[in-house]
C-alpha cells in the first residue's frame, strides 16, 4: 500500500466546482489585487477567529514581519521565540533587525515553556512570539501574564493552528496580533502563497495594511517605507471557498488522530498530547518521537508510508544563525526533539484502511 505524507486529492476534488467558479469570478471581475474577494475573506476570517481586524498579506513570514514592524520593533530589540519552531518565526525577527532569543519548549507539548520565558527578559526585550506548533495552542494565559508584567507585546504565530482553540477562544484572537500562513499544506491552505494578520488593535491593523502596500495610506501617498505583500484576489477567492470547510476538515483530522492514539502501542514510540478542552489541537501534523527515529522512518518508507521530520536541524544549529554563537548542547530539548521527531501521514480523506496500515507497521517496527 502507498500512503503519501499528505494529499489534497479528496479535498480539492470535492470542491472542484466551487474552486472553478471562484477562478471564473475573479477573471470576470477584472480585479486581481485588493478587490472584493480579499475584502470578503478578511471579513469572514476575522469573524471566524473572533477578532475585529484581519489583513491579507503575501505569506506567513510577511505576516509576522509586518506585525513586528507595525509594533516598531527593530534594531537592538530582542524578541523571545521558541527554540523549536519553523525557522520563519525567527527569520521574521531577524528581518526587522531585532535578535531572536530562543527559549526551550516543554518536550511533552512541543510549545514554548512559559516558566523559562522570564529568565531571558532584558531591558531590550520587546515581545514574545508564541507559536502554536503542530496545531496545539501554546500556554497563552501564562505567556500573557508574564508579558503583561514586563510590558511586552504578545504575537501569536498561528501558521500551524487555523481554527485551534485555547480555553474556547480561537488562536489568532489571544495575543496583541497573530500571523497566519495559507501555504498550501497548512490546515487552511491557498493554491499558492498567502497569509494574514489578525488583531483587535486598529492601529496595528492599519499599519500592517499600509506597510504591506508600499507604506501607502491612500493612493500615491506614502507614510512608511513599506513593502509589497498582499493577498491576491485569486488566492482570496479560493480561501473563501475553503474556509467554509475548515472546521469539518479539522474534525476529520481529530478522528484520524484518535485512531492513531487508539492503535499505536509500540513502546518505542512516544505519542503527542491529545486534544482536550483547554488545548484544542487541530493536528496540523501528527508528530511521534522515537529514539530510533531514522530506522523507523526508513522502515515506514520501505512499506510505502510517507513521513517528514519537523524539523531535522534546530534553528541554532543552522548556518543562517551561526552568528548567534549558540553551540551544540546549549538548547538540549530543541536538539532532542529534532533528533527524534517523525510526522505521520495526516490529511483529509485518509481512509480507515490506510490509517490501520500505518498503525500496524509502526507496531511491527
Ligand atoms: C509555515 C510557517 C510559517 C511561514 O509561513 P509561509 O506562508 O510559508 O511564509 C511561519 N511559522 C510557522 C510556525 C510555520 O509553520
Amino acid at each position: 500500500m502507498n500512503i503519501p505524507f499528505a494529499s489534497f486529492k479528496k479535498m480539492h476534488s470535492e470542491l472542484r466546482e466551487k474552486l472553478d467558479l471562484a477562478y471564473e469570478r475573479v477573471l470576470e471581475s477584472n480585479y486581481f489585487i485588493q478587490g472584493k474577494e480579499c475584502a470578503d475573506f478578511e471579513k469572514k476570517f476575522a469573524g471566524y477567529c473572533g477578532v475585529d481586524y484581519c489583513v491579507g498579506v503575501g505569506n506567513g513570514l510577511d505576516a509576522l514581519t509586518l506585525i513586528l514592524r507595525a509594533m516598531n520593533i527593530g534594531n537592538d530589540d530582542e524578541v523571545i521565540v521558541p527554540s523549536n519552531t519553523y525557522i520563519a518565526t525567527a527569520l521574521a525577527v531577524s528581518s526587522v533587525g531585532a535578535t531572536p532569543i530562543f527559549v526551550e519548549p516543554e518536550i511533552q507539548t512541543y510549545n514554548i515553556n512559559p516558566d523559562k520565558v522570564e529568565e531571558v527578559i532584558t531591558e531590550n526585550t520587546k515581545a514574545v512570539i508564541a507559536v502554536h506548533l503542530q496545531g496545539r495552542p501554546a500556554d497563552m494565559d501564562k505567556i500573557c501574564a508574564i508579558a503583561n508584567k514586563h510590558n511586552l507585546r504578545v504575537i501569536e504565530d498561528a501558521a500551524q493552528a487555523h481554527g485551534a482553540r485555547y480555553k474556547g477562544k480561537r488562536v489568532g484572537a489571544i495575543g496583541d496580533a497573530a500571523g497566519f500562513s495559507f501555504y498550501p499544506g497548512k490546515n487552511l491552505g491557498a493554491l499558492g502563497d498567502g497569509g494574514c494578520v489578525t488583531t483587535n488593535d486598529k492601529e496595528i491593523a492599519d499599519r500592517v495594511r499600509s506597510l504591506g502596500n508600499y507604506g501607502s495610506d491612500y493612493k500615491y501617498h506614502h507614510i512608511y517605507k513599506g513593502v509589497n505583500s498582499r493577498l491576491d484576489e485569486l488566492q482570496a477567492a479560493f480561501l473563501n471557498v475553503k474556509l467554509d470547510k475548515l472546521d469539518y476538515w479539522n474534525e476529520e483530522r481529530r478522528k484520524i488522530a484518535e485512531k492513531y492514539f487508539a492503535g499505536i502501542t509500540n513502546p518505542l514510540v512516544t505519542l503527542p498530547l491529545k486534544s482536550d478542552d483547554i488545548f484544542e489541537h487541530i493536528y496540523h501534523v501528527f508528530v511521534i518521537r522515537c529514539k530510533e527515529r531514522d530506522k523507523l522512518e526508513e522502515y515506514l518508507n520501505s512499506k510505502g508510508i510517507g513521513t517528514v521530520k519537523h524539523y531535522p536541524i534546530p534553528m541554532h544549529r543552522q548556518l543562517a544563525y551561526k552568528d548567534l554563537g549558540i553551540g551544540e548542547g546549549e538548547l538540549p530539548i530543541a536538539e532532542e526533539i529534532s533528533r527524534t521527531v517523525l510526522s505521520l501521514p495526516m490529511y483529509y480523506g485518509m481512509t480507515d484502511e490506510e490509517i490501520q496500515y500505518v498503525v500496524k507497521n509502526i507496531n511491527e517496527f
Side-chain angles (χ1 to χ4, degrees):
M1 201 184 285
N2 249 313
I3 303 172
F5 171 70
S7 164
F8 306 107
K9 260 198 192 136
K10 187 173 162 75
M11 176 183 275
H12 290 161
S13 70
E14 285 177 0
L15 289 177
R16 184 62 194 260
E17 251 171 75
K18 286 185 173 167
L19 292 170
D20 286 347
L21 282 172
Y23 162 75
E24 280 173 29
R25 214 161 59 223
V26 172
L27 203 62
E28 294 299 320
S29 79
N30 253 328
Y31 239 99
F32 306 101
I33 303 279
Q34 291 185 306
K36 186 174 178 307
E37 293 291 340
C38 182
D40 285 352
F41 175 74
E42 288 173 342
K43 204 166 151 207
K44 207 156 128 179
F45 196 65
Y48 177 85
C49 293
V51 292
D52 292 340
Y53 308 100
C54 169
V55 182
V57 298
N59 54 65
L61 173 57
D62 284 356
L64 296 171
T65 305
L66 293 171
I67 291 169
L68 290 163
R69 280 195 69 181
M71 291 176 171
N72 280 321
I73 293 171
N75 289 337
D76 302 328
D77 293 334
E78 294 174 359
V79 176
I80 295 168
V81 303
S83 58
N84 69 313
T85 173
Y86 183 54
I87 196 168
T89 315
L91 289 177
V93 176
S94 303
S95 77
V96 300
T99 305
I101 303 295
F102 296 134
V103 167
E104 290 267 78
E106 298 172 294
I107 199 158
Q108 299 85 356
T109 67
Y110 298 97
N111 279 329
I112 196 165
N113 185 342
D115 299 330
K116 290 192 181 163
V117 168
E118 213 156 16
E119 294 165 17
V120 302
I121 294 175
T122 70
E123 63 204 24
N124 296 324
T125 310
K126 291 286 152 45
V128 184
I129 304 185
V131 184
H132 308 299
L133 202 69
Q134 304 174 1
R136 180 190 159 90
D139 199 339
M140 293 309 290
D141 277 357
K142 282 192 187 169
I143 294 165
C144 292
I146 296 163
N148 257 338
K149 185 173 154 197
H150 295 272
N151 210 11
L152 308 178
R153 308 303 288 267
V154 176
I155 299 164
E156 295 173 74
D157 180 342
Q160 299 192 359
H162 316 69
R165 274 184 278 230
Y166 171 78
K167 294 193 172 170
K169 212 170 183 184
R170 296 269 192 209
V171 305
I174 305 166
D176 292 302
F180 285 88
S181 162
F182 303 123
Y183 174 81
K186 311 289 183 177
N187 285 33
L188 178 61
L191 306 184
D193 274 317
C196 78
V197 170
T198 58
T199 181
N200 284 313
D201 184 328
K202 182 168 190 308
E203 199 179 321
I204 292 178
D206 287 347
R207 295 179 73 145
V208 165
R209 189 177 297 285
S210 173
L211 284 165
N213 189 31
Y214 307 102
S216 163
D217 54 351
Y218 62 99
K219 206 169 171 80
Y220 302 137
H221 279 244
H222 302 273
I223 51 177
Y224 310 114
K225 295 182 187 77
V227 296
N228 175 6
S229 184
R230 304 175 296 209
L231 181 63
D232 66 69
E233 286 294 283
L234 198 52
Q235 297 308 334
F238 295 143
L239 288 166
N240 273 323
V241 171
K242 293 181 85 174
L243 177 53
D244 292 337
K245 293 280 181 230
L246 177 58
D247 281 341
Y248 166 63
W249 292 331
N250 282 345
E251 200 47 55
E252 292 296 302
R253 282 175 179 268
R254 245 177 242 127
K255 287 182 192 161
I256 297 168
E258 281 307 319
K259 287 175 187 167
Y260 279 150
F261 284 124
I264 300 172
T265 52
N266 188 329
L268 297 173
V269 166
T270 305
L271 294 168
L273 290 182
K274 282 189 189 180
S275 183
D276 60 41
D277 290 345
I278 296 174
F279 300 92
E280 214 180 278
H281 203 314
I282 48 106
Y283 302 104
H284 169 59
V285 278
F286 191 94
V287 178
I288 61 172
R289 259 190 353 264
C290 177
K291 286 250 179 294
E292 296 181 69
R293 188 265 316 271
D294 292 338
K295 275 192 197 150
L296 173 60
E297 176 164 51
E298 215 172 285
Y299 180 76
L300 294 177
N301 294 168
S302 77
K303 301 288 179 181
I305 298 168
T307 53
V308 177
K309 297 184 275 275
H310 291 110
Y311 300 93
I313 305 170
M315 293 176 297
H316 67 285
R317 303 303 295 150
Q318 297 279 359
L319 199 53
Y321 278 120
K322 202 172 160 226
D323 59 331
L324 295 177
I326 307 173
E328 189 158 5
E330 285 188 55
L331 293 167
I333 301 176
E335 290 171 21
E336 169 77 8
I337 286 173
S338 57
R339 266 196 305 271
T340 54
V341 283
L342 192 64
S343 300
L344 302 182
M346 165 65 75
Y347 53 89
Y348 172 67
M350 245 187 121
T351 65
D352 202 43
E353 197 190 358
E354 290 167 332
I355 299 164
Q356 294 316 328
Y357 180 78
V358 176
V359 167
K360 168 176 162 286
N361 279 289
I362 290 175
N363 289 342
E364 283 174 3
F365 171 69

